[in-house]
Amino acid sequence: MIENLKEVTKETVANEILMLKNDGYRLVAMSCTELDEDNVDILYHLDKDLELVNLRMKAEKAKPVPSVSGIYFCAMLAENEMRDQFALGFDGLVLDFNRTLFLDEEITVTQVPLCSNVKITKQ
């Protein structure tokens, strides 16, 4: 069980992150896990004075989620990694590597490494 966990939505995540930043929290990590064929959980981990606050957002793989890289620039690395590994889209991503931060082109056009049963077909 994750302590200090708050559920957020695509509509509320940016505002929640901004309020925590304004309160002195720093973004320490973001993580993602596949829930099922269509959904993932994105977790935002923030710290202030050695107290972690965790935000959880359930997201559909097929729909872009709001980027928080405009609030915490460093989030663009985690968001690009999620693009690589889960083929997620992010609205407002300040620097988009288009699934090539860690992956070679031959992988990005054919597969999604951390998603079960997902293959990209060439168009």
Side-chain angles (χ1 to χ4, degrees):
M1 183 169 160
I2 301 174
E3 293 182 20
N4 296 328
L5 178 66
K6 181 175 185 176
E7 300 286 336
V8 295
T9 65
K10 287 172 37 171
E11 294 75 30
T12 63
V13 65
N15 191 47
E16 292 288 338
I17 294 283
L18 182 59
M19 287 191 312
L20 288 167
K21 181 179 183 182
N22 290 340
D23 195 31
Y25 283 82
R26 64 189 181 96
L27 181 67
V28 293
M30 291 173 61
S31 52
C32 184
T33 188
E34 184 178 51
L35 295 174
D36 56 43
E37 224 173 88
D38 300 317
N39 300 288
V40 294
D41 254 352
I42 300 175
L43 294 139
Y44 303 83
H45 313 283
L46 299 100
D47 165 78
K48 178 182 175 184
D49 300 327
L50 300 177
E51 179 184 338
L52 279 177
V53 171
N54 303 285
L55 305 179
R56 176 189 286 155
M57 178 176 62
K58 183 176 180 179
E60 292 179 54
K61 292 178 190 176
K63 296 182 180 177
V65 297
S67 172
V68 297
S69 62
I71 301 167
Y72 287 106
F73 182 75
C74 61
M76 71 90 181
L77 289 170
E79 291 174 347
N80 271 286
E81 182 176 4
M82 288 179 212
R83 279 190 45 69
D84 283 2
Q85 303 301 327
F86 296 92
L88 294 178
F90 286 89
D91 284 334
L93 184 57
V94 295
L95 184 57
D96 187 350
F97 285 88
N98 197 28
R99 297 195 65 228
T100 61
L101 179 65
F102 296 117
L103 301 178
D104 291 332
E105 184 179 350
E106 62 268 11
I107 294 184
T108 64
V109 297
T110 60
Q111 54 189 293
V112 181
L114 295 181
C115 288
S116 57
N117 303 321
V118 176
K119 296 284 184 195
I120 296 176
T121 56
K122 284 189 175 182
Q123 297 180 9

